[in-house]
Amino acid sequence: METIVYLFTLAAVAGLVCHKIGLPPLIGFLIAGFSYNSLGLNPPKEVYLLSDLGIALLLFFVGLKLDLKSLLKIEILSLSLFNIIANSLFVALGLLLIGSLFLKDQNLPIESIALLSIALSLSSTVFAVKVLDNKGDLISVHGKLIIGILIIQDVIAAVLLAITEANFPEQTAFLILLLVPAKFVIYKILDHIGHDELLVLFGLLLALVLGYAFFNFTGVKGELGALVVGALVANHPKSGEMSQALFSLKEFLLIGFFLTIGINSDLSIQNILAGSLLCLFLIPRGLLYFFSSNYIKFRSRTSLFTSITLTTYSEFSLIVVSIGYTQGLLSVDWLTITAVAVSLSFLITTPLEKNSENIYERIHKYLRTIEHKETKENQIKDLHMKHVKALVIGMGRIGSGAYEELQNSFKQNEILSIEHDEKKVLSHKSDNKNVILADANDLDFWSNLNGKTVEVIILAMPKHHSNIEAAKQIKNLNLDCQLYAVARFDEEVEELQSLGVTAFHIYTEAGVGLARQTYKT
C-alpha cells in the first residue's frame, strides 16, 4: 500500500509542476514513472490494474460517441491500411539501424522484425482519444477521421496479438452475438435507472463487466469489447449523461496507464539513444498521414491535425513486444527501447498537439496552396453571413436556450448558429433553426466573418478550451462585436475576461435565472 501512495504522491507533484509551466499533466505522470523506476522501487501491482481499467473505460467512452457508418467509408479504410504498410517499412529501417549501432551482438530474425515493425506502425489510441476529448474534438471532422483510423488499427492489433500469443478466438466468441438481444434489456434499464449513483454503477458494469470481462472470457480482446458495448448504447438518450458521470473516474484511472509507461522503462544511456533514434522515424509518419489525407481530398487543416495526433507510437506495441519477449522472439532490450520510444513520442507530440491551431495559423497560407479545390468538407462554403447579426457557437442546451432568447431581439435570418456535431445540426434544422456544420476553432471559418455585420457572438461550447481558442481567433481578427461566453469555474471566467469576453459563471447565472422566473410567476 505504501508504494502506491509514494507513486501517486510523485505523480501529483510532477503533474502539478507540468500544469504550472503550461504542459499537460500527463507528461508529469510519465516523468513520475521514470523517476519511480530510477529509484529502484518495486512497482505496485495495483497500478497495472488501474491502467487496464482506465484503458477499458476510455474505449467505452469512444464507443459512446462512435458513428459506425463513418468507419465503413472507403477513405478511412484505405488511409489506415496504406499508412500501416508504409510506416511498417520505415520502422523496419529504423530497427535495422538500431540493431547495427546498439545491439550488434543480436541478430533479429525476419519474423521478429515483422512483429516489431507492424506493432510500431500503430499510433496511440489512449493518447489520441485523451487529447481529442480534452479539446472537445472527438466529433469534429478530424476527430472522427482519427478515431476511425485508430479503430481499424485496434482490430489489426488484436489480430497481431492473437498471432503473437498463438491464441485465436475460441468457439465461445459466438457468445458475443448475445449482445444483439441484450441491447433491448440494456436500454430498458437505462430508461428507469435515474440520474445518480446507479447510472455511474451501471456504466461501469457495461464497460468493465459486459465489455471488458465478457469479451476476454470469449477469447476476444477486452478493450475491443468495451468499445463495442459503448457503441451499442451510443444512441440512448442517457449516453451523454453517462459519459459525463464517469468522466472524473476515467481521468483518474488513466493516470495509472501513464505511470506504467514510465515504470517499465530502464533509462540507460544506450536505451535512451536507441529510443530517441526510433523517434526520428516519426517524421515520415507525420508526413505520410498529412499527404495521404490531403490526397483523398480532406482539407489541409484536417490533414495537419490528423498527422500531428497520430504521430505517436502505440502503447499496444509494449504489449506485443512483451509477449514477443516471453515467446523468445525478442530480447529484453527491445522491450525497454520500445517503452522509451513510446514515452518520448508522447513527450514530442504533446506540445505540437497543444499548439496545433497556432501551427496551422502560421502555415495555413502555404497549406492552402496544396489543398484540393474541391474537398470533402464544404461547411466553409455554406456560410451566408450577409444579414447575420447574432452568432451562437455550440448548440447544446445552453446554446439552444441562447438561440431561442435571441429570437426575441433579432429576425430569424439575422441569427446563425454553428455546431460541429452533425446529428445536432440535423436535429436543429428540423426545428427550422438556422444552424450549419462548422468548427469554431477553425481559422478559415473566422476569416469568413471578417468585415461582416455580426453584432453579438455567444460562445456556448461545453469545453472551456474551445471557447478560449474561438475567443483568440475573434480577437486576432479585430471583429467589432459584443462577445459572451459561459464558464464553470472562477479561473475560467478570469481567463475569458482577459481576452475581452463578457463571461458568466454557469451555476451563478442559473440561480439568477431561476429567481427571475420565480418572481415572474
Side-chain angles (χ1 to χ4, degrees), residues 233-287:
V233 298
N235 290 326
H236 192 279
K238 282 189 179 176
S239 63
E241 186 180 348
M242 183 187 296
S243 175
Q244 293 177 3
L246 293 171
F247 178 81
S248 296
L249 180 59
K250 176 203 68 172
E251 294 292 290
F252 170 72
L253 292 175
L254 282 175
I255 294 174
F257 165 74
F258 292 109
L259 288 173
T260 57
I261 296 292
I263 287 173
N264 289 329
S265 302
D266 181 11
L267 294 182
S268 66
I269 298 298
Q270 175 177 292
N271 290 334
I272 292 175
L273 291 175
S276 300
L277 180 60
L278 198 55
C279 284
L280 290 177
F281 290 86
L282 290 172
I283 298 173
R285 172 172 303 191
L287 293 174

Side-chain angles (χ1 to χ4, degrees), residues 391-408:
L391 183 64
V392 180
I393 312 295
M395 284 297 284
R397 283 175 289 186
I398 295 175
S400 298
Y403 188 102
E404 293 174 3
E405 185 66 25
L406 287 171
Q407 289 178 320
N408 296 324

Side-chain angles (χ1 to χ4, degrees), residues 11 24 36 38 40 44 56 68 95 149 170 172 182 210 218 231 246 261 297 354 360 396 441 448 459 468 480 500:
Y36 186 90
S38 66
L68 292 176
L95 297 177
I149 292 172
E170 302 174 1
T172 51
L210 186 60
T218 63
L246 293 171
I261 296 292
K297 297 184 179 180
K354 182 180 178 182
Y360 178 70
N441 294 333
N448 265 356
L459 304 176
I468 288 293
D480 185 17

Side-chain angles (χ1 to χ4, degrees), residues 247-415:
F247 178 81
S248 296
L249 180 59
K250 176 203 68 172
E251 294 292 290
F252 170 72
L253 292 175
L254 282 175
I255 294 174
F257 165 74
F258 292 109
L259 288 173
T260 57
I261 296 292
I263 287 173
N264 289 329
S265 302
D266 181 11
L267 294 182
S268 66
I269 298 298
Q270 175 177 292
N271 290 334
I272 292 175
L273 291 175
S276 300
L277 180 60
L278 198 55
C279 284
L280 290 177
F281 290 86
L282 290 172
I283 298 173
R285 172 172 303 191
L287 293 174
L288 279 170
Y289 271 115
F290 175 81
F291 285 107
S292 57
S293 301
N294 190 69
Y295 179 77
I296 58 177
K297 297 184 179 180
F298 281 101
R299 287 176 56 211
S300 57
R301 179 177 182 270
T302 299
S303 300
L304 177 66
F305 291 175
T306 299
S307 65
I308 289 176
T309 305
L310 294 177
T311 305
T312 56
Y313 287 123
S314 174
E315 61 284 343
F316 185 80
S317 62
L318 293 172
I319 302 173
V320 174
V321 173
S322 178
I323 294 171
Y325 167 67
T326 60
Q327 297 286 342
L329 296 172
L330 298 166
S331 69
V332 68
D333 292 307
W334 285 109
L335 179 60
T336 304
I337 291 169
T338 303
V340 172
V342 170
S343 303
L344 289 177
S345 72
F346 290 177
L347 291 170
I348 292 168
T349 306
T350 294
L352 296 176
E353 182 67 47
K354 182 180 178 182
N355 296 288
S356 57
E357 291 288 352
N358 293 333
I359 294 172
Y360 178 70
E361 185 175 345
R362 288 177 179 272
I363 62 175
H364 79 281
K365 291 182 179 179
Y366 167 73
L367 294 181
R368 293 294 295 274
T369 62
I370 59 176
E371 181 180 282
H372 284 274
K373 293 181 179 180
E374 295 295 329
T375 68
K376 295 179 181 295
E377 307 160 59
N378 296 317
Q379 67 266 38
I380 300 300
K381 297 178 181 179
D382 293 337
L383 287 176
H384 301 288
M385 301 295 298
K386 185 176 180 180
H387 303 291
V388 173
K389 295 183 179 180
L391 183 64
V392 180
I393 312 295
M395 284 297 284
R397 283 175 289 186
I398 295 175
S400 298
Y403 188 102
E404 293 174 3
E405 185 66 25
L406 287 171
Q407 289 178 320
N408 296 324
S409 304
F410 298 95
K411 298 177 182 178
Q412 177 68 19
N413 66 338
E414 293 178 337
I415 309 172

